[in-house]
Amino acid sequence: MTRKIKMPRAFSRLVAAAVAAQKSSYCPYSRFPVGAAVLTDSGRIYTGCNVENASYGLSICAERVAVCNAVARGRRALRAVCVVAGAARPCGACRQVLAEFSTKDTWLYLVDLDPATGRRTITRTTVFRMLPAAFDPVASGLLPPRPARRSR
Ligand code: THU
């Protein structure tokens, strides 16, 4: 499903943004910092980190913070996503949220960062490869096909 790659030049900015975002993580409960960055159709990058809460269930994942940042800035089309963590694998909920704004071509870079050595292992896949049989708003009749889709 996934394959190991060398860091491609075109996306090194995205990886760097996610690595930087991980440093802002607020994770006093899990001590598992996660950083995320999304590259949108405008060429701009939006970032996020996980933000935990004393009421644990209120914690939010880095990926969803990054997506919300992009959408709040009016950018809804994701070209690529990057997640950085000790073991970077978006949770199921985040996969569905990423899918909402992704196409079949949206890349997903998973960066496993060993905090002890700084060693990075990067895997490249796609959002939809990580979410087989995704809940599909078009197939479900909840949204019209993309070209006819209204802006709201
Ligand atoms: N976490 C993320 O930020 N993204 C994921 O996809 C998986 C989990 C966070 C949530 C929580 O703050 C910590 O990692 C441990 O679960």
Side-chain angles (χ1 to χ4, degrees), residues 25-39:
S25 165
Y26 176 70
C27 58
Y29 306 105
S30 71
R31 304 209 173 275
F32 187 79
V34 184
V38 297
L39 173 67

Side-chain angles (χ1 to χ4, degrees), residues 79-107:
R79 270 194 212 152
V81 178
C82 177
V83 185
V84 179
R89 297 290 177 275
C91 75
C94 285
R95 290 177 200 201
Q96 188 70 49
V97 171
L98 291 170
E100 184 77 19
F101 301 102
S102 295
T103 68
K104 299 287 174 216
D105 299 323
T106 303
W107 291 113

